[in-house]
Amino acid sequence: MIQLWIGIAVLTVFAIAFVYLPILRARKALLAEETEDRETQNIEIFRERLSELDQEKSAGNLDEQDYNTLKTELERNLLTDVQGKSGEKLQLKLTAQSLVTVTLLALLIPVSAIGLYSIYGRAPDLEISLQQPVDPFNGQQPTLEEAIAQLEMELKSQPENAEGWFLLATTYLNQGRFAESANSFRKVLEILPEDAPQYAGVMGQLAQALFFQNGNQVTDDVRVQINKTLALEPYEITALGLLGVDAFEKQDYRAALELWLTALRNADGQSAESLRSGVIRARDKLVEAGEEVPDIPELEEAKVSLRVQLAEAYKDQVSADQDVFVFAREVGGRMPLAAVKLKVSDLPADVVLDDSKAMNPEIRLSSVPTVEISARISKTGQPQAAVGDIYTTISPVQVRGNKLPLILNMDRVVE
C-alpha cells in the first residue's frame, strides 16, 4: 500500500504545480515587460535631453566645456538607471482575493481527490491483492495440506475474513482436527454480527465440532452451545440433530424421532437425507418395541406421477418427431431437479419424476418439499424455451404424498 500513497503524493504535487504554473509564467512575462518599458523610457528621456543640450550649444548658450560636462553627466545617469532598474526584483501584484482563491484551489485538489477515493476507491481490495502472491503454487495442483497452509497464512494477514475462517473450520472438521475446527468457528462468530443470517448456523457447527471433540458425546459444554444455538434459532438443524443423537443414545427413541423430524422439515440436500435416515432408525426402534407410530409423510419417496398430453387445438401445429421436455424444478429456480425427454409421437404419456431422473446427483427432487412441473414441445429441439413452443406449467406441487397422477395438458404458446 505504501506504493499507492507515494503515487498519490507525487500526483498531488504535480496537480498543485499546474495550479501555480500560470501565475509563475505571468510573473515572468510581467517582469520582462516592465523591464523593457523602463529601458525604453530612459533612452527616450536621454535622447530628448541630449537634443536640448545640442540646441543650447548651437544657440551659443553653452560653451564646449559645459556642453561636454552636462553630456557626460547625462550619459552617466542613463547608465545608472538602466543597471539599477534591471537589478530590481519586480513583484507580480496579486490582490488578497485572488491569492486566497488560488491557494484554496490548490488545497482543494488533494483534499477532494482523497475524499472521492475514500468513497469510490478500492484501497482494501488493492491491499489484499498486493499481499497475495499471483500463484503461490507455481501452476501446480496443491495438496490439501498445502492449500490449508496457504489459507492459514492468508488469514494471518486478513484476520477479519469470516468466509476464510469458516472454510478453514469445515476443512479441519472433515480432517478430524476438531479442536482447531472449534477455534476457527469461534473466530467466525467473533467477526459476524449476531443478526447475520449465517450466525445461528455457525453456532450449530461449533456445537457439532465440540461434540466430535468430546468423543461423540453431548457433554455439558456441548449442551450449553446447543442451548445457545436453539435460543437464537429454534429450528437450527445441526443443534436439533445433535439432541436427536443424544436422545437416541439414551434409547429415548420417541424424542429422537421428534427432534430429527423437526430438523428434517427444515433441511434439504445431504442434510435432509441424513436426517431422514435417522428418522427411519428411530421409527423402526419404536416399531420393534411394539409402539404405535403414525405414518410419516416426510419418509415417503419423493416422486411425482404425471400424465403428459397435448391440447386438441394444437395437434395440427406439431410434428411427430418434435422433442417434448418434461421437468421439475424448485419453485422460482432454474435448474431442473428431474427431467424426461419424449417425442410428440409418444403422447399421451405416463411419466414419473423422481431422484433417478436427476440431472445432477447433488441436486435431486427429494432435496425440496415442493416443485414446479412443466412440459414443453420445443420447436428448436433445445431445452431452452423459444417463441412458438407449446407448454404448460403446474406450481406448486408436493414431491411426496401424491396418490394420483397430475395431468399436464400443454395448451399455451411461448410468446
Side-chain angles (χ1 to χ4, degrees):
M1 282 299 292
I2 189 65
Q3 297 96 326
L4 172 66
W5 295 114
I6 291 175
I8 291 175
V10 171
L11 291 176
T12 299
V13 170
F14 277 118
I16 294 175
F18 278 118
V19 173
Y20 279 104
L21 186 60
I23 298 175
L24 297 177
R25 287 178 175 174
R27 178 182 180 277
K28 182 177 180 181
L30 182 60
L31 176 62
E33 182 179 351
E34 289 192 2
T35 300
E36 182 179 355
D37 289 344
R38 287 173 181 270
E39 289 179 354
T40 301
Q41 291 174 2
N42 289 333
I43 292 172
E44 289 297 328
I45 292 172
F46 169 78
R47 288 175 177 172
E48 290 177 1
R49 291 181 178 177
L50 182 60
S51 178
E52 292 174 355
L53 290 178
D54 290 340
Q55 292 175 4
E56 290 292 327
K57 179 182 177 183
S58 299
N61 296 329
L62 290 175
D63 58 23
E64 187 69 27
Q65 182 178 358
D66 291 337
Y67 174 81
N68 290 332
T69 301
L70 292 174
K71 181 180 179 182
T72 302
E73 183 66 24
L74 189 62
E75 290 173 346
R76 184 183 299 111
N77 290 339
L78 174 62
L79 181 61
T80 301
D81 287 341
V82 171
Q83 291 178 343
K85 297 304 182 181
S86 63
E88 291 180 0
K89 294 184 178 179
L90 298 178
Q91 299 294 329
L92 177 61
K93 295 181 180 179
L94 295 175
T95 65
Q97 182 179 359
S98 62
L99 183 61
V100 169
T101 301
V102 171
T103 303
L104 288 178
L105 181 60
L107 293 175
L108 183 62
I109 293 174
V111 171
S112 60
I114 294 173
L116 289 172
Y117 187 78
S118 66
I119 297 173
Y120 300 106
R122 302 299 297 265
D125 292 346
L126 177 60
E127 184 173 6
I128 292 173
S129 177
L130 290 174
Q131 289 178 353
Q132 290 180 342
V134 176
D135 183 2
F137 304 110
N138 297 319
Q140 302 297 318
Q141 182 68 28
T143 64
L144 179 59
E145 292 300 331
E146 288 174 337
I148 292 174
Q150 177 64 26
L151 180 57
E152 291 171 338
M153 183 176 67
E154 291 177 3
L155 288 173
K156 287 182 180 179
S157 60
Q158 305 169 42
E160 299 302 311
N161 184 352
E163 292 182 2
W165 282 112
F166 184 81
L167 176 59
L168 186 62
T170 53
T171 304
Y172 282 152
L173 192 68
N174 293 331
Q175 282 194 312
R177 299 164 64 176
F178 304 125
E180 293 167 288
S181 176
N183 289 333
S184 297
F185 281 127
R186 290 190 182 98
K187 288 284 189 180
V188 178
L189 294 174
E190 290 175 4
I191 299 169
L192 288 179
E194 288 193 17
D195 58 353
Q198 307 92 338
Y199 195 87
V202 178
M203 292 271 286
Q205 293 289 319
L206 174 56
Q208 181 174 251
L210 294 173
F211 173 78
F212 290 139
Q213 184 182 354
N214 287 279
N216 298 345
Q217 299 293 321
V218 179
T219 58
D220 290 342
D221 59 336
V222 176
R223 193 174 299 278
V224 167
Q225 183 61 35
I226 291 174
N227 291 338
K228 287 181 180 179
T229 304
L230 295 178
L232 186 64
E233 173 50 69
Y235 299 105
E236 205 288 310
I237 61 174
T238 304
L240 290 172
L242 291 173
L243 287 181
V245 170
D246 186 48
F248 191 90
E249 292 298 323
K250 294 177 179 177
Q251 299 184 3
D252 188 352
Y253 303 122
R254 181 73 62 180
L257 177 65
E258 293 299 326
L259 288 163
W260 284 336
L261 193 54
T262 301
L264 175 60
R265 290 170 181 152
N266 297 277
D268 55 24
Q270 187 58 46
S271 297
E273 291 300 312
S274 298
L275 288 165
R276 188 172 290 108
S277 298
V279 170
I280 293 172
R281 290 175 60 198
R283 180 201 61 184
D284 292 345
K285 288 292 186 180
L286 290 172
V287 171
E288 289 176 8
E291 297 189 31
E292 184 178 349
V293 181
D295 291 338
I296 303 174
E298 288 81 2
L299 295 184
E300 294 184 17
E301 181 184 2
K303 66 176 182 179
V304 180
S305 299
L306 306 168
R307 177 74 170 176
V308 184
Q309 60 189 35
L310 176 62
E312 287 289 336
Y314 296 99
K315 287 186 176 180
D316 59 349
Q317 300 182 24
V318 297
S319 58
D321 62 345
Q322 282 186 280
D323 292 322
V324 182
F325 295 96
V326 184
F327 55 91
R329 60 188 176 191
E330 188 174 2
V331 178
R334 301 184 64 181
M335 176 65 69
L337 303 174
V340 171
K341 183 179 178 182
L342 307 171
K343 293 289 186 181
V344 170
S345 59
D346 297 326
L347 302 178
D350 294 321
V351 173
V352 176
L353 296 179
D354 55 22
D355 284 347
S356 68
K357 308 297 192 307
M359 300 180 64
N360 184 340
E362 301 297 323
I363 308 175
R364 300 183 294 175
L365 192 69
S366 60
S367 65
V368 297
T370 59
V371 292
E372 176 182 281
I373 304 291
S374 296
R376 180 169 47 81
I377 299 175
S378 174
K379 294 187 67 174
T380 63
Q382 299 299 317
Q384 295 78 16
V387 174
D389 289 356
I390 302 171
Y391 75 102
T392 191
T393 298
I394 302 177
S395 178
V397 176
Q398 298 288 330
V399 300
R400 294 181 175 84
N402 296 301
K403 304 300 182 183
L404 298 174
L406 298 175
I407 305 300
L408 276 177
N409 187 43
M410 293 177 284
D411 58 357
R412 287 182 281 176
V413 178
V414 177
E415 297 180 351

